[in-house]
Amino acid sequence: MEPIRISSFSHENSGGNPAGVVIADVLPAPEEMLEIAAELGYSETVFATRQDGGWTVRYFAPLGEVAFCGHATIALGAALGAQEGAGRFDLSLRDGWISVEASRQNGQWHAALQSPETWSRPLGDELRYALLDAFSLSDDDLDPGLSPTLAFAGVQHAILTLKARNQLAAMSYPFDAMRDLMAMHNLVTVSLLYIQGPREFVSRNAFASGGVVEDPATGAAAAALGGALVDLDWDGLRGGGSFTIVQGEDMGAPSVLTVDVTGQPGASVQVSGAVRWI
């Protein structure tokens, strides 16, 4: 039951977001999974065991269980691909079913997850102002092209889009206060975005809720953004299509996430990327 260390959504075999992967005959007790996740110190560790033709999966951050984690799912997909061979793997999560598909491309493992179903709605004023205050921002700093949004794809994320790239690079916040605010509003991450082009976004994701200041690549938030953009018919995405998220640049861990949507509001979203073993 030795943990495998894999970095998901890596760019040119560097960067990405590290995750622990534990494939076991039987899932450990929750307290043991939490202990392993805390010892590894990554934002999430995924635990998986074979069951009924698929895999039972749980995710743990250093501070507790998480219902769904994108980058850990990508890491698990690559690990299962290396162990079982390329193909699709059905995953039974705590709150539902998803799948991940592993493939070899130019000698490197890639994985693509199908997220839980999605929804989005405008971010409430009270939460918006609390988040702006925590990031030392104001409404004047927000890009009106993409309004503050609450989005869901297995877990909830708040999305704030900034006018200036340098404001994104300067992201900071009081950790304890943000952790408490996220717990109060059931947020897993807060996504700060910069629109680099109609189909390309730069992102930073605060993850105080999981005991980590920031994720260099966040698959769950990418899926939630995909669902929200379909709801808004952003750049014609109601007709289906894809977009790219560049993340981790300001952390020195460049990461690239590709998001594919069907165009159907509320539908599952595909998030894919390359991985590298650590």
Side-chain angles (χ1 to χ4, degrees):
M1 202 175 70
E2 184 69 21
I4 305 166
R5 294 164 172 82
I6 295 176
S7 192
S8 301
F9 305 113
S10 59
H11 177 57
E12 296 180 348
N13 209 32
S14 66
N17 192 2
V21 179
V22 177
I23 301 172
D25 293 335
V26 178
L27 287 183
E31 57 270 20
E32 185 179 354
M33 289 191 279
L34 179 58
E35 182 179 350
I36 292 170
E39 287 176 357
L40 284 172
Y42 297 142
S43 56
E44 275 99 359
T45 294
V46 58
F47 298 83
T49 188
R50 196 188 305 269
Q51 185 173 356
D52 298 333
W55 296 82
T56 296
V57 173
R58 295 293 182 271
Y59 307 94
F60 278 79
L63 292 183
E65 187 172 7
V66 178
F68 170 60
C69 172
H71 82 277
T73 302
I74 293 292
L76 174 62
L80 290 176
Q83 175 178 296
E84 307 284 325
R88 169 180 158 155
F89 304 95
D90 293 322
L91 310 179
S92 173
L93 310 187
R94 188 189 71 185
D95 299 331
W97 285 84
I98 63 168
S99 66
V100 64
E101 186 166 355
S103 62
R104 291 280 286 179
Q105 301 178 25
N106 300 318
Q108 187 176 13
W109 281 104
H110 288 242
L113 67 84
Q114 283 296 145
S115 78
E117 293 182 346
T118 61
W119 57 255
S120 69
R121 60 174 179 257
L123 195 65
D125 288 346
E126 179 183 354
L127 178 54
R128 181 176 92 252
Y129 288 127
L131 289 172
L132 288 173
D133 183 63
F135 287 114
S136 299
L137 296 168
S138 72
D139 276 334
D140 290 339
D141 298 314
L142 298 178
D143 188 331
L146 183 54
S147 300
T149 300
L150 183 67
F152 176 88
V155 288
Q156 287 193 151
H157 309 265
I159 300 170
L160 299 174
T161 308
L162 305 182
K163 291 178 181 175
R165 177 67 180 87
N166 64 338
Q167 288 180 308
L168 187 68
M171 184 193 87
S172 65
Y173 63 87
F175 185 86
D176 290 344
M178 181 66 82
R179 180 193 59 210
D180 294 344
L181 179 63
M182 294 172 78
M184 184 185 305
H185 293 275
N186 196 28
L187 297 177
V188 170
T189 77
V190 179
S191 293
L192 296 188
L193 300 178
Y194 172 73
I195 302 171
Q196 193 150 273
R199 298 288 180 100
E200 184 172 357
F201 300 82
V202 184
S203 176
R204 299 190 75 172
N205 278 77
F207 188 43
S209 65
V212 177
V213 172
E214 181 180 3
D215 261 349
T218 318
L225 176 62
L229 294 181
V230 169
D231 291 344
L232 294 168
D233 195 20
W234 177 269
D235 195 45
L237 285 175
R238 280 284 181 95
S242 65
F243 63 91
T244 300
I245 299 171
V246 178
Q247 196 176 334
E249 285 186 334
D250 299 305
M251 301 175 65
S255 308
V256 178
L257 304 86
T258 300
V259 183
D260 289 273
V261 300
T262 64
Q264 179 181 347
S268 169
V269 170
Q270 184 185 85
V271 182
S272 61
V275 307
R276 63 182 179 88
W277 263 246
I278 301 171

